[in-house]
Amino acid sequence: MDIVVTILSSLAEQLQKPTLAFLIAGMVLAAMGSKFEVPEPVYKFIVILLLLKVGMGAGIAVRDANFMELFVPALGAAVVGIAIVLLGSRTLARRKGISEVDALATVGLFGAVSASTLAAGMAILDDAGMFYEGFIGALYPFMDIAALVTAIVMARMSAARRAAGSVTVNAGGTMTAGGSSSMGGPGKGVIEEGLLRNILVDTLRSPAISALLAGLALGLLSDPKSVYGSFYEPLFRGLLSILMLIMGMEAWARVSEMRKVAHAYILYGVTAPLIHGMIGFGVGLIAHEMTGFSAGGVVLLAVMAASSSDISGPPTMRGALPDANPSAYVGTSTGIGTPVAILSIPLFVALAETFIG
């Protein structure tokens, strides 16, 4: 009975937080037939500012960390982020009736990191007196960016394949329909390789990822703390709330798409944090054996893997995958995944005490 009360209490707390509260407010406005709208240029400006801030904060955190101590855990974090997206592409994205772009946007957010869940994990370890490395906060951009870029590239590859259909290229340079190329033209593997390269380049050049990477480079290679603290940080929460309001209105317009497959997203939101956390814990154990990574560090790597992005993810997905349904990826990650991830933290602490001591 106590665990049910705890889960309901955590869910109620998430509903009151700005990310989900403003999303719901936008859905209510749309349901009432409100004429409220934010001009497209203003929306794009908001997204760029948000992503510059997220990238800059990540770059500053990485720059201030000891790179040699950071290397193995950071590599592990990136691998975990990519693995979560690949796993989701074989599970949620394969469920009947689920849009692949919606599923990949969702698993991208689950592969990325929630700063608030990470902060909750740090607070629990502090209360328990469990040591963790000071550079832990610098690990999240490696998992975050790896997961988001992987999900976006996979979603665009899927869309490109559907658009291309069965078209192939023959030796004369003309397009033909059918399952194979004629006159010795390039095979499927060559075409797929070229398609992947083009989409990867296009993704890195897209406004959303470009802003994120530009912010990361500025944080790493310059000293933007003054403008970061005086301009980007104070504006961030307010701008994010406006973005969530916009996404809420879009979500209501597409809520009918979710009715037949809502159970699949609920199941994923409940089980994914635990599975992903165990993947992160396993990678953390490997880092522990290789470098002496602390038990607290292993726990927090698991917490990052279990969490799902509520800050960097939504604007990135909205900018890079505008066709994805916000009610799928934001609702599943923030509404379901975050409470489960927070409730799983004591499990990872117990596992660390058992396996590491």
Side-chain angles (χ1 to χ4, degrees):
M1 185 64 181
D2 288 344
I3 188 66
V4 174
V5 173
T6 303
I7 291 173
L8 291 175
S9 175
S10 179
L11 181 58
E13 184 179 343
Q14 292 304 316
L15 289 172
Q16 295 175 47
K17 287 186 176 179
T19 301
L20 206 54
F22 275 84
L23 183 84
I24 294 170
M27 295 179 75
V28 171
L29 284 175
M32 294 171 60
S34 170
K35 301 298 183 181
F36 173 85
E37 64 176 324
V38 175
E40 187 69 14
V42 175
Y43 157 73
K44 290 181 178 179
F45 180 66
I46 289 173
V47 171
I48 295 302
L49 285 182
L50 290 175
L51 293 176
L52 279 172
K53 185 270 177 188
V54 169
M56 216 177 299
I60 291 170
V62 172
R63 190 190 64 199
D64 292 344
N66 184 310
F67 182 76
M68 294 309 295
E69 293 179 358
L70 185 68
F71 179 73
V72 172
L75 180 62
V79 169
V80 169
I82 294 170
I84 288 171
V85 175
L86 294 177
L87 179 63
S89 72
R90 297 289 179 178
T91 53
L92 182 64
R94 296 292 178 90
R95 294 295 296 269
K96 186 177 180 180
I98 290 182
S99 161
E100 193 167 10
V101 68
D102 291 350
L104 287 169
T106 303
V107 302
L109 259 61
F110 273 81
V113 179
S114 164
S116 59
T117 305
L118 177 59
M122 290 178 171
I124 289 173
L125 294 192
D126 288 340
D127 290 342
M130 182 179 283
F131 169 80
Y132 57 87
E133 287 79 1
F135 61 72
I136 289 296
L139 291 180
Y140 91 84
F142 294 94
M143 190 181 296
D144 218 56
I145 294 174
L148 293 173
V149 171
T150 301
I152 291 165
V153 169
M154 291 185 71
R156 290 185 170 188
M157 281 288 292
S158 174
R161 288 193 196 100
R162 287 197 304 272
S166 58
V167 173
T168 58
V169 183
N170 64 25
T174 58
M175 306 297 285
T176 60
S180 60
S181 55
S182 63
M183 297 179 65
K188 182 180 178 182
V190 175
I191 294 172
E192 286 282 312
E193 182 182 343
L195 184 64
L196 175 60
R197 183 171 58 250
N198 290 339
I199 288 175
L200 184 58
V201 170
D202 183 56
T203 298
L204 294 175
R205 288 176 176 174
S206 68
I209 298 299
S210 293
L212 194 63
L213 295 178
L216 183 64
L218 287 167
L220 278 171
L221 305 175
S222 65
D223 186 14
K225 288 182 179 178
S226 58
V227 68
Y228 179 83
S230 62
F231 179 71
Y232 288 94
E233 186 69 36
L235 287 175
F236 182 73
R237 294 288 174 182
L239 293 177
L240 182 62
S241 68
I242 294 173
L243 177 66
M244 297 312 297
L245 205 61
I246 297 169
M247 292 173 69
M249 296 186 74
E250 292 178 354
W252 178 260
R254 302 176 59 181
V255 74
S256 60
E257 299 174 17
M258 291 287 294
R259 290 173 183 166
K260 294 182 180 178
V261 293
H263 63 282
Y265 284 102
I266 292 170
L267 178 63
Y268 182 81
V270 170
T271 58
L274 297 173
I275 296 170
H276 299 165
M278 295 304 294
I279 294 172
F281 189 85
V283 171
L285 281 181
I286 294 172
H288 170 73
E289 294 296 328
M290 292 178 63
T291 67
F293 194 43
S294 71
V298 174
V299 170
L300 292 178
L301 187 60
V303 170
M304 282 189 280
S307 73
S308 49
S309 178
D310 53 356
I311 294 180
S312 59
T316 304
M317 289 303 175
R318 178 60 179 79
L321 300 176
D323 292 336
N325 189 343
S327 58
Y329 60 85
V330 177
T332 308
S333 61
T334 305
I336 304 172
T338 295
V340 174
I342 292 173
L343 290 170
S344 70
I345 296 173
L347 168 64
F348 303 129
V349 173
L351 287 172
E353 291 173 345
T354 300
F355 287 96
I356 301 174

